[in-house]
Amino acid sequence: MPTDHTALLTDHTALLTDHYELTMLQASLTDGAADRRSVFELFARRLPGGRRYGVVAGVGRVLDAIERFRFADDDLAFLRENAVVDGPTLDWLADYRFRGNVWGYPEGEVYFPQSPVLVVEGTFGEAVLLETVLLSILNHDSAIASAAARMIGAADGRPCIEMGSRRTHEAAAVASARAAYVAGFATTSNLEAGRRYGIPTTGTSAHSFTLLHDTERDAFTAQVASLGTGTTLLVDTYDVAEAVRVGIEVAGPGLGAVRLDSGDLPSLAAQVRRQLNSLGATGTKIVVTSDLDEFAIAGLAAAPVDGYGVGTSLVTGSGHPTCGFVYKLVARADGLGPDATMVSVAKASKDKISIGGRKYALRRLDGRGTASAEVLGIGEPPHSDDNDRPLLVPLVESGRRVHDEPLQVARDRLRTSLAELPLQARQLSRGEPAIPTIFEGE
Amino acid sequence: MPTDHTALLTDHTALLTDHYELTMLQASLTDGAADRRSVFELFARRLPGGRRYGVVAGVGRVLDAIERFRFADDDLAFLRENAVVDGPTLDWLADYRFRGNVWGYPEGEVYFPQSPVLVVEGTFGEAVLLETVLLSILNHDSAIASAAARMIGAADGRPCIEMGSRRTHEAAAVASARAAYVAGFATTSNLEAGRRYGIPTTGTSAHSFTLLHDTERDAFTAQVASLGTGTTLLVDTYDVAEAVRVGIEVAGPGLGAVRLDSGDLPSLAAQVRRQLNSLGATGTKIVVTSDLDEFAIAGLAAAPVDGYGVGTSLVTGSGHPTCGFVYKLVARADGLGPDATMVSVAKASKDKISIGGRKYALRRLDGRGTASAEVLGIGEPPHSDDNDRPLLVPLVESGRRVHDEPLQVARDRLRTSLAELPLQARQLSRGEPAIPTIFEGE
C-alpha cells in the first residue's frame, strides 16, 4: 500500500470519480447507449437552512478539472488490475477527453432552487463520467461562498478575514479561501491560497507566541521590533486591559491593531476602544475572532469593531457544509445518428423530484432593476422582457474551454447580483428564497 | 493569476500553513525565542454534539505531511515577493525540516476531551510551523471517522458503503474514504481512494443509466449483460414493484442485489423482501441509500436490509464536520542552552481553558478489561495499574518517522478500543463521554 497520503491530486482528475460512473459507461458501451446525445444538469432542489439565496463558486476550478480529466497510464493500470471495467472500456477511457458543451452560471452569480447552475451536453458516456468531480467542486465551493456572503452582508462593510484552514481538510482549506474571496472576504490566512490564487494573505501572532516569552511585554516588544508598529497584537492571553496598556507602551499610539479572541466581545470591544482612546491610540483598530459566524457578526454591528476574523463556521459552511447539488440526466436522444430525437427524462418516484427537459434561465428584473423571479424555460428559452438578464454563459464549446476570468470579476459579479435582489435577501433568519423560481414551457 | 485550480498539492506541504505561523517565526527569530525548547499538544476541549467518544484518524497522513514539510524554491519566491517574512527568516526556512519528536494516539484509537492526541516537541520555531497542517488533517479525518464509527455501530454488522465523494471537496473526498475505512466501512465509491490506499471500491449504476434507455427493461438487460447477474439493480426510478419483477425476469433469481434510493425505506425494504422471496430470489440482497445517517441506519435495524450506502452525512461528519482540535503550547524552556528549565504555560483567560504542562495518557481498565477512565498525567506519566493501557506511541524521533502501518491495523485497533468501552459508548443519544478524563500530577 502506498504511503503517499498528502499529494492529493496529480495533474489529472479522472479518478476523483465514483466507481459507478465507470460501470455505467461499460454497460452502456455494451448496448451502444453510451453514444446517445445527453443533457445533464447540476442544480439544487432547495436552499439549505431557509437561506434566501445561494452563491455559485468553483466554476474556474470546474473548468480546470474538465480540462484535466484524462486517464493516464497509471489510472488505467489501477482500473485494469482491480477489474473495475473491462478491456473495451479501458480502451475507450484511454482516448477520453470531454468533447461536448457546457453552459453555466458564472462564478459569483447567485442561484435559487432548481437554477441550472451547470448544463452539460455530450454523449452519455462522456458526460456521465464528469458527475462526481463536478459535484464535489461545486458542492464544496458554493457551500463556503454561500455562507461567506451572509457573513459579508452581516459585516456591512467592515473587512472579514478568512482564517479557517485548520478546521478543514488541507486542500479544502485552499479552495475555501478562494470561495471566501469570491464572496467578498478581504484576506486569507492560507499561504497556498495566496500563491495559487493571488489572494492577499495576513496574520501576525497566536497565544503561543506570548506564552513562549517570559512576559507579555517581551512578546510584544519582539513582535513590534520585527513586524513594525503597524502590526496586530493579540491582547487576551492574560489580562486584556493590562495587555492593551503594555501594547501601547511598547508600540506607541500608532499601533496598528489589537486582536480579541475570547470573552464577551461586544462589551470587551467597547472597553478596549475606550482604553485605546484614553491612551491616544485613536487610530488603533480592534479585530475580533473567536468562533464567529454571520449571527455573531451581526450581533457586533453596534460594537466598535474594525474587522472580523472567521474560521470554523466559514470553512464548514456555517451549518451547511454542502449545497446538495445533484447532477441529473434531463434529456437524451431516443437513438443514435442525426435522426434521433431528444426526449425529456426524469425520475418518477415521489420524493427527490426532478423536472425533465433542458433548462434555460434568466433573472426577471423590474423597471428599477430589482429581481422579482428566477425564470426557467424548459426545452426553450423563457420569454424575456427588456430588463431580464440571461444567466447561462458558455463555458466549454466542443470540448474547448471558452471561459476564464480573474477572481476579481467574480467578486464584482456577486456584489452586483446581490444588489439586484430585494431587501429580504439580506435577512439572516430562516425563510423563503428571496425570489421565487418560475417555470415556463413544456 | 494562475488558472491551476485543481492540482491541489505539490509534493511539499509547507504553504498549507497560516500566514501567522511565519510571522511568529520571524519575530521569535529576532529575539532568539524561536530556539526555546517547546512542547505543543493537539487536543479537543470537548466532544461535539454530546457524543460518547471520538476516533483518531489521519495519523498516517500527518506523518507524510511532516516529512514533506519543506520550503521549495517556488515557495520561498512567493514568500519573498509578497514580503510575508524577512530575509533572515527566508534563509531559515530554506533549511527547514522538522528535527524534533512527535508522540501521538495511533490511528483508530478512541479519544476523549483533553486527550493529548498529538504531542510535538522541538524548538518553538520548528514546532509552531506545523500547527496548521496538523490541525487540518486531524480535524478533518477524525471528524469523518468519528461519525463513521457511530454509523458502523448502528449498522451492527451489516456492511456500510462510503459514497459521499460528490458532497465534499474532491481531495477531502479521498481522505474521507480513508477515514471511513479506518472506522470500519467495507468499501468506497471513490476510485482515487482505491488506488491511493488500496480500499475496495464498488458501484453499479444511477438513475441516469435507467433514464438513458428507452425502457427500464432495456437498462437492466444491458447492465446484467455487461456486469453479470451478481450486479446491483437500482429499482426506484419508476415503480419499485415493477422494477423488481423485471429485474428478476432479466437476471434470474440469482440477481446479486437491488438498491433502494428513495421512499420510506423500512416499509419499502419489507415489501421488496417479500416480493423477492416470492420470486425465488431469496439470496438477492437489498441495499439502501438516500441521505442515511447513524440515526436512519439505527431505524432500519429491524428492516430486511443487507447493506447501507452513506454519502452526505458521512463526509460532513454527521453534523460535526470538524473536531475542534486545537494545538497549544503547553511547556517551553525559560531560556536557551542545556541549563534552561521547562516551564508549563497556558492561556489564562476565562473561556477556552487550556491546561499547561506536558501530558501523558493511559486508559484505565478494570479487571474485566472494561475502560473506566482516560487518565492524564501532567508533567509525568500517571500511576499505572496492571491492566492500564498507555496511549501515546512514538511517531517521529529526532525528525525521523518511526511509525508506519497499514490501514488494516488501524481498523483492528478501533474495533478493540471500542470493545473496551462501557456499553453507553454505543448510545447515539447526546450525553457525557463514555469515560471521564482524570488528571494526575502538578
Side-chain angles (χ1 to χ4, degrees):
Chain A
M1 194 175 302
T3 58
D4 170 12
H5 300 316
T6 48
L8 285 160
L9 286 185
T10 54
D11 56 356
H12 42 104
T13 55
L15 288 199
L16 299 171
T17 297
D18 286 331
H19 187 117
Y20 82 175
E21 317 288 7
L22 271 67
T23 48
M24 285 193 278
L25 172 69
Q26 174 183 314
S28 60
L29 284 171
T30 308
D31 72 348
D35 291 327
R36 286 188 170 190
R37 202 80 196 149
S38 296
V39 179
F40 283 86
E41 286 177 356
L42 186 149
F43 62 95
R45 294 195 176 95
R46 62 195 75 86
L47 299 176
R51 292 198 183 152
R52 310 314 178 106
Y53 62 90
V55 175
V56 177
V59 177
R61 299 207 313 116
V62 153
L63 294 174
D64 288 342
I66 294 173
E67 285 184 301
R68 291 159 185 248
F69 202 97
R70 308 291 173 88
F71 291 85
D73 289 346
D74 58 329
D75 299 327
L76 295 168
F78 165 76
L79 298 174
R80 184 182 307 109
E81 286 157 18
N82 291 273
V84 174
V85 286
D86 61 17
T89 306
L90 289 172
D91 293 343
W92 192 97
L93 294 175
D95 286 335
Y96 180 81
R97 57 185 297 268
F98 181 71
R99 295 180 176 85
N101 305 306
V102 182
W103 297 262
Y105 280 39
E107 192 140 3
E109 187 54 87
V110 299
Y111 74 88
F112 297 94
Q114 306 292 341
S115 294
V117 168
L118 217 60
V119 180
V120 178
E121 182 191 55
T123 66
F124 177 82
E126 69 183 344
V128 77
L129 286 189
L130 298 178
E131 175 173 25
T132 311
V133 75
L134 299 186
L135 284 172
S136 290
I137 293 173
L138 290 172
N139 265 323
H140 176 268
D141 291 14
S142 301
I144 306 306
S146 297
R150 285 160 58 90
M151 295 169 187
I152 293 295
D156 203 23
R158 292 173 176 170
C160 292
I161 305 161
E162 189 284 304
M163 35 179 273
S165 296
R166 64 190 55 196
R167 298 298 172 88
T168 187
H169 182 279
E170 69 275 21
V174 184
S176 292
R178 182 183 182 281
Y181 191 67
V182 166
F185 270 60
T187 60
T188 178
S189 65
N190 189 288
L191 291 169
E192 181 64 20
R195 172 169 62 182
R196 193 173 296 271
Y197 302 122
I199 303 170
T201 65
T202 47
T204 48
S205 64
H207 295 114
S208 64
F209 182 79
T210 300
L211 296 171
L212 169 68
H213 289 85
D214 295 334
T215 66
E216 197 168 44
R217 180 183 295 271
D218 286 357
F220 288 176
T221 302
Q223 184 174 332
V224 170
S226 181
L227 304 175
T229 54
T231 195
T232 300
L233 294 176
L234 178 59
V235 292
D236 69 339
T237 304
Y238 304 109
D239 178 80
V240 172
E242 176 64 10
V244 169
R245 195 186 64 74
V246 172
I248 298 300
E249 214 171 280
V250 167
L255 175 65
V258 297
R259 177 160 78 96
L260 298 168
D261 184 47
S262 56
D264 181 55
L265 295 175
S267 57
L268 204 53
Q271 278 174 33
V272 168
R273 183 73 269 160
R274 282 194 298 272
Q275 186 185 3
L276 285 170
N277 290 350
S278 75
L279 295 169
T282 52
T284 299
K285 293 182 169 167
I286 299 176
V287 177
V288 294
T289 55
S290 187
D291 290 331
L292 298 180
D293 60 12
E294 62 267 48
F295 303 101
I297 291 171
L300 284 159
V305 164
D306 301 289
Y308 304 97
V310 189
T312 305
S313 73
L314 178 84
V315 299
T316 58
S318 197
H320 302 285
T322 187
C323 289
F325 287 137
V326 293
Y327 183 81
K328 294 295 172 189
L329 183 70
V330 297
R332 49 85 183 159
D334 64 355
L336 303 176
D339 295 336
T341 306
M342 293 300 283
V343 179
S344 296
V345 295
K347 180 173 184 295
S349 69
K350 292 181 192 78
D351 56 356
K352 297 187 173 177
I353 289 172
S354 295
I355 295 161
R358 177 174 183 165
K359 316 297 181 309
Y360 298 81
L362 58 79
R363 191 147 300 144
R364 182 142 294 159
L365 303 174
D366 67 16
R368 286 174 300 185
T370 301
S372 63
E374 189 86 336
V375 185
L376 307 186
I378 302 179
E380 58 183 9
H383 165 79
S384 175
D385 291 332
D386 284 353
N387 297 311
D388 295 349
R389 193 160 64 76
L391 293 165
L392 288 163
V393 300
L395 301 174
V396 177
E397 290 179 354
S398 301
R400 194 172 57 85
R401 178 179 182 162
V402 295
H403 184 88
D404 200 359
E405 61 183 22
L407 285 183
Q408 185 61 48
V409 175
R411 272 166 81 88
D412 295 344
R413 179 178 294 119
L414 177 57
R415 218 162 28 212
T416 306
S417 290
L418 285 176
E420 270 176 6
L421 296 182
L423 271 181
Q424 59 262 39
R426 294 183 55 87
Q427 290 182 250
L428 296 179
S429 58
R430 296 173 73 98
E432 296 300 311
I435 56 174
T437 301
I438 296 172
F439 287 93
E440 284 187 7
E442 296 222 339
Chain B
M1 194 175 306
T3 57
D4 171 10
H5 301 315
T6 46
L8 286 161
L9 287 184
T10 55
D11 55 357
H12 41 105
T13 55
L15 289 198
L16 298 171
T17 297
D18 286 331
H19 187 117
Y20 82 175
E21 317 288 6
L22 272 68
T23 48
M24 284 193 279
L25 172 68
Q26 175 183 314
S28 60
L29 284 171
T30 307
D31 72 348
D35 291 328
R36 287 187 169 191
R37 203 81 197 149
S38 296
V39 179
F40 283 86
E41 286 176 358
L42 187 148
F43 62 95
R45 294 197 175 93
R46 63 194 74 84
L47 299 176
R51 292 195 183 155
R52 310 313 178 107
Y53 62 90
V55 175
V56 177
V59 177
R61 300 208 312 116
V62 153
L63 295 173
D64 289 342
I66 295 174
E67 285 185 302
R68 292 160 185 246
F69 202 96
R70 307 290 173 87
F71 291 85
D73 289 346
D74 58 329
D75 300 326
L76 296 167
F78 165 75
L79 298 174
R80 185 183 304 109
E81 285 157 19
N82 291 273
V84 173
V85 286
D86 62 16
T89 307
L90 289 172
D91 292 343
W92 192 97
L93 293 174
D95 286 334
Y96 180 80
R97 56 186 297 268
F98 181 72
R99 295 180 176 85
N101 305 307
V102 182
W103 297 262
Y105 281 38
E107 191 139 5
E109 186 55 87
V110 300
Y111 73 89
F112 297 94
Q114 307 292 341
S115 295
V117 168
L118 217 60
V119 180
V120 178
E121 183 192 54
T123 66
F124 177 81
E126 70 182 344
V128 77
L129 285 189
L130 298 179
E131 175 173 23
T132 310
V133 75
L134 299 186
L135 284 171
S136 290
I137 293 172
L138 290 172
N139 265 324
H140 176 267
D141 291 15
S142 301
I144 307 306
S146 297
R150 287 160 58 89
M151 295 168 187
I152 293 295
D156 203 21
R158 292 173 178 171
C160 292
I161 305 162
E162 189 285 304
M163 37 179 273
S165 295
R166 64 190 55 197
R167 297 299 171 88
T168 187
H169 182 281
E170 70 275 21
V174 184
S176 292
R178 182 184 182 280
Y181 191 66
V182 166
F185 271 61
T187 60
T188 179
S189 65
N190 189 289
L191 291 169
E192 181 64 19
R195 172 168 62 181
R196 193 173 297 270
Y197 302 122
I199 302 170
T201 65
T202 47
T204 49
S205 65
H207 296 114
S208 63
F209 181 80
T210 301
L211 296 171
L212 168 68
H213 288 84
D214 296 333
T215 66
E216 197 168 43
R217 179 182 296 270
D218 286 356
F220 289 175
T221 302
Q223 184 174 332
V224 169
S226 182
L227 303 175
T229 54
T231 194
T232 300
L233 295 176
L234 177 60
V235 293
D236 69 339
T237 304
Y238 304 109
D239 179 80
V240 172
E242 177 65 10
V244 170
R245 194 185 64 74
V246 172
I248 297 299
E249 213 171 280
V250 168
L255 175 65
V258 297
R259 177 160 77 97
L260 297 169
D261 184 47
S262 56
D264 181 56
L265 295 176
S267 56
L268 204 52
Q271 277 174 33
V272 168
R273 182 74 270 159
R274 283 193 296 272
Q275 187 183 3
L276 285 170
N277 291 351
S278 76
L279 295 168
T282 53
T284 300
K285 293 182 169 164
I286 299 176
V287 177
V288 294
T289 56
S290 187
D291 290 331
L292 298 181
D293 61 12
E294 62 267 48
F295 303 101
I297 291 170
L300 284 158
V305 164
D306 302 288
Y308 303 97
V310 189
T312 305
S313 73
L314 178 84
V315 298
T316 58
S318 198
H320 302 285
T322 187
C323 289
F325 285 137
V326 294
Y327 183 81
K328 295 294 172 189
L329 182 70
V330 296
R332 49 87 182 157
D334 64 355
L336 303 175
D339 295 338
T341 306
M342 293 301 284
V343 179
S344 296
V345 296
K347 181 174 184 296
S349 69
K350 292 181 192 79
D351 57 358
K352 296 188 175 178
I353 290 172
S354 295
I355 296 161
R358 178 174 182 165
K359 316 297 182 308
Y360 298 81
L362 58 78
R363 191 148 300 145
R364 183 141 293 157
L365 303 174
D366 66 16
R368 287 175 298 185
T370 300
S372 62
E374 190 85 336
V375 185
L376 307 185
I378 303 178
E380 57 184 10
H383 165 79
S384 175
D385 291 331
D386 285 352
N387 298 311
D388 295 348
R389 192 160 64 77
L391 293 165
L392 289 163
V393 301
L395 302 174
V396 178
E397 289 178 355
S398 301
R400 194 172 57 84
R401 178 178 183 162
V402 296
H403 184 88
D404 199 0
E405 60 181 23
L407 286 183
Q408 186 61 48
V409 175
R411 274 166 79 88
D412 295 343
R413 180 179 293 118
L414 177 58
R415 220 165 23 214
T416 306
S417 289
L418 284 176
E420 270 176 7
L421 296 182
L423 270 182
Q424 59 261 39
R426 294 184 55 87
Q427 290 182 249
L428 296 179
S429 58
R430 296 173 72 97
E432 295 301 311
I435 55 174
T437 301
I438 297 173
F439 287 93
E440 283 187 8
E442 295 219 340

